[in-house]
Amino acid sequence: MKKLSYLTIVHLVLMALMILGTVGGAVNFIVGVANSATDKIRFENLTNILLMLVIMAMLIMGALYLLKNYGKNAAMFYKAFMLLHVFVCALTIFIDLFFYTVNFFMITICILNLFKMIVLLILTFVKDLGKDRTWTLFYIILGLDVLSLVLAVINMAGIGFDFSFTGYVTALIADGTIGLSIRGKYSDKEARGRA
């Protein structure tokens, strides 16, 4: 096994912290289910538990891919990570539209997440995009997530900060995983003389 770079190690530590954070979030929502006053609140908490579990699985798949040094034999972890990322986006759109105050900011964030899902699917299933196109798509994802974070902070400044803020931070950490994966993928190809 190749030695992990310092950047990869730092990123894995951040992912481990976010996994712990999602465990904490899941426990918080489980308590919320037990104390739910209405069926709507119970359903909201159950949906958030599902989201926490999917985020946890996504982070674990991403970490396994990084630990496997991006090799071809680890491609299934990359695909699982990317597909779980798509599912996280879909669940986030559902939660934002049904359980939060729907306003200009939330609608815009949902549209950005929809675009992100499309780009993630392209990165997952379209073969031979080439290095430049792959990096371009990564920067699009990163830009969408940074813009979503800015809009969310502006929105929360008006309505109050909540637990969803950690979701935007997790999205940026997941983007880092994609970036490291792309870098590792093309480094591996270059090492095999296939770049």
Side-chain angles (χ1 to χ4, degrees), residues 89 93 96 104-120 140-152 168:
C89 290
I93 291 170
D96 286 350
F104 167 79
F105 297 108
M106 295 311 292
I107 291 170
T108 305
I109 290 169
C110 289
I111 292 168
L112 294 174
N113 267 319
L114 190 60
F115 281 123
K116 181 180 169 184
M117 288 170 65
I118 293 166
V119 178
L120 286 167
I140 289 171
I141 290 172
L142 185 61
L144 291 170
D145 279 337
V146 169
L147 184 54
S148 292
L149 174 62
V150 170
L151 291 172
Y168 295 101

Side-chain angles (χ1 to χ4, degrees), residues 117-193:
M117 288 170 65
I118 293 166
V119 178
L120 286 167
L121 288 169
I122 291 169
L123 277 175
T124 306
F125 292 111
V126 177
K127 291 183 189 262
D128 302 323
L129 283 168
K131 189 175 182 179
D132 291 340
R133 280 196 195 112
T134 302
W135 277 114
T136 299
L137 291 173
F138 165 73
Y139 291 125
I140 289 171
I141 290 172
L142 185 61
L144 291 170
D145 279 337
V146 169
L147 184 54
S148 292
L149 174 62
V150 170
L151 291 172
V153 168
I154 293 168
N155 189 45
M156 287 179 193
I159 63 171
F161 279 80
D162 58 37
F163 187 76
S164 67
F165 180 77
T166 59
Y168 295 101
V169 175
T170 302
L172 290 173
I173 290 172
D175 292 347
T177 306
I178 295 170
L180 285 170
S181 298
I182 293 168
R183 190 185 77 165
K185 173 183 173 182
Y186 284 101
S187 293
D188 185 63
K189 280 189 171 186
E190 283 164 14
R192 292 185 283 125

Side-chain angles (χ1 to χ4, degrees), residues 4-13 66-67 70 180 183:
L4 297 174
S5 71
Y6 176 74
L7 183 62
T8 302
I9 292 167
V10 170
H11 193 75
L12 284 167
V13 169
L66 296 183
L67 286 168
Y70 330 100
L180 285 170
R183 190 185 77 165

Side-chain angles (χ1 to χ4, degrees), residues 90-109:
L91 275 172
T92 301
I93 291 170
F94 177 80
I95 290 168
D96 286 350
L97 290 178
F98 287 93
F99 302 122
Y100 287 96
T101 304
V102 178
N103 56 26
F104 167 79
F105 297 108
M106 295 311 292
I107 291 170
T108 305
I109 290 169

